[in-house]
Amino acid sequence: MTTHALPQTSSTLGVEAPSSDQSVRRPTERVGLLALAAPLLLFADGILRWVDTVTTLGDPGSPPPHTTLDYAAGSIGVVATVVLLASIAAFGWLAVEVLRHPRLSERLSVGNLVVAAVGVVTIALPLGLLPLGALLVLVGLAPLSRGSQPSVPRD
């Protein structure tokens, strides 16, 4: 009985299966996605909270929610709370990745750190400026989302 070796393609069209190197994301790619996703999720949470506040203002006699548990009682509140928890998880994962790969933090300049810090302070203030603060954090973390390709000299 004779056995024949099969070619290393995934189909008869000649498309090669991805190697193990291509299927695993590099830390810089993960950090880039997290640097975009975390502030955008926080921005979405702020917009959902604004929408829910505007819709409850029309109801006479309904006080505005004061705590997260009061807020999560409505359907938009449930979605916003899930988005907020996803944002917190993404920020935590981003922090762990930056701590594991310290060279990534070299991409952030002092100006970026100041903008991100102003965004965090804006979020912390009880003025309802969560979306604005999230956008400031997004701008501050933007250098982390760039790839690690060397810059091309201009002529």
Side-chain angles (χ1 to χ4, degrees), residues 16 22 73 107 110:
E16 293 185 17
Q22 293 173 342
R107 293 183 186 179
V110 174

Side-chain angles (χ1 to χ4, degrees), residues 8-131:
Q8 296 295 323
T9 58
S10 61
S11 70
T12 58
L13 298 176
V15 178
E16 293 185 17
S19 67
S20 61
D21 296 339
Q22 293 173 342
S23 62
V24 178
R25 293 189 180 213
R26 296 184 321 218
T28 55
E29 292 174 357
R30 256 193 320 265
V31 168
L33 289 174
L34 289 170
L36 288 175
L40 288 176
L41 286 169
L42 195 59
F43 176 77
D45 172 60
I47 295 298
L48 287 170
R49 288 179 187 269
W50 275 359
V51 168
D52 194 42
T53 302
V54 168
T55 58
T56 58
L57 289 178
D59 298 338
S62 66
H66 295 290
T67 66
T68 303
L69 294 176
D70 292 337
Y71 177 74
S75 60
I76 294 178
V78 170
V79 172
T81 302
V82 169
V83 170
L84 177 64
L85 292 175
S87 175
I88 291 170
F91 273 117
W93 192 4
L94 176 64
V96 167
E97 287 293 325
V98 170
L99 289 175
R100 286 178 57 206
H101 308 283
R103 292 194 64 101
L104 293 172
S105 62
E106 293 174 359
R107 293 183 186 179
L108 296 174
S109 68
V110 174
N112 291 109
L113 294 175
V114 168
V115 170
V118 168
V120 169
V121 169
T122 304
I123 291 168
L125 293 175
L127 299 175
L129 298 175
L130 179 63

